[in-house]
């Protein structure tokens, strides 16, 4: 299983961007999707979660400015962010709980590569 994140870049304060995370490989069931971010010198922070049931949760730092969604047909997750602030600058990582086969009762969490978001004028 591989997760490939993309969509980062340089954005001006107040701007928007959409991050993507595509899962590939042996995937029987994809359960929870997560976006984390890590700014220089700071701990990795959970930003958004989407469960297979459709429940979402956001950190207080992005609530109201971020939307997590999926395209299940493409095994792809998105994070749409708006009104970006300099403090949103970080490397964003995607994470997903995946069962690889029908016998994989418990599954495991997989990490994607990071995609860098820079917020600056």
């Amino acid at each position: 299983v591989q997760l490939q994140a993309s969509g980062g870049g340089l954005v001006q304060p107040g701007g928007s961007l959409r991050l993507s995370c595509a899962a590939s490989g042996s995937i029987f069931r994809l359960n929870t999707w997560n976006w984390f971010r890590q700014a220089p010198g700071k701990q990795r922070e959970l930003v958004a979660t989407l469960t297979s049931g459709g429940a979402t949760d956001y950190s207080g730092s992005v609530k109201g400015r971020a939307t997590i969604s999926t395209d299940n047909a493409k095994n792809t997750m998105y994070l749409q962010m708006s009104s970006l602030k300099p403090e949103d600058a970080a490397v964003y990582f995607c994470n997903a709980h995946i069962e690889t086969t029908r016998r994989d009762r418990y599954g495991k969490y997989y990490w994607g590569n990071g995609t860098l978001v820079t917020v600056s004028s």
Side-chain angles (χ1 to χ4, degrees):
V1 174
Q2 287 189 327
L3 300 182
Q4 180 70 43
S6 61
L10 174 62
V11 184
Q12 290 188 340
S16 301
L17 58 66
R18 188 177 78 159
L19 304 180
S20 301
C21 177
S24 62
S26 178
I27 299 172
F28 171 68
R29 185 173 7 243
L30 207 156
N31 298 314
T32 304
W33 287 99
N34 299 301
W35 280 104
F36 287 79
R37 68 185 182 187
Q38 187 165 20
K42 294 189 176 181
Q43 289 189 333
R44 192 169 292 191
E45 171 193 18
L46 176 60
V47 174
T49 295
L50 174 62
T51 70
S52 57
T56 59
D57 195 19
Y58 300 92
S59 68
S61 58
V62 304
K63 190 170 289 185
R65 302 186 297 117
T67 302
I68 186 171
S69 63
T70 59
D71 182 336
N72 292 328
K74 296 181 180 179
N75 284 334
T76 300
M77 165 180 67
Y78 305 98
L79 183 68
Q80 178 73 44
M81 295 190 67
S82 60
S83 302
L84 283 163
K85 307 174 183 179
E87 51 263 42
D88 292 317
V91 178
Y92 284 71
F93 297 91
C94 55
N95 169 273
H97 186 269
I98 295 171
E99 298 166 29
T100 56
T101 68
R102 187 180 298 273
R103 297 191 188 90
D104 185 8
R105 294 178 58 192
Y106 302 106
K108 62 180 283 188
Y109 283 96
Y110 294 83
W111 286 94
N113 59 306
T115 186
L116 177 63
V117 173
T118 303
V119 183
S120 175
S121 55

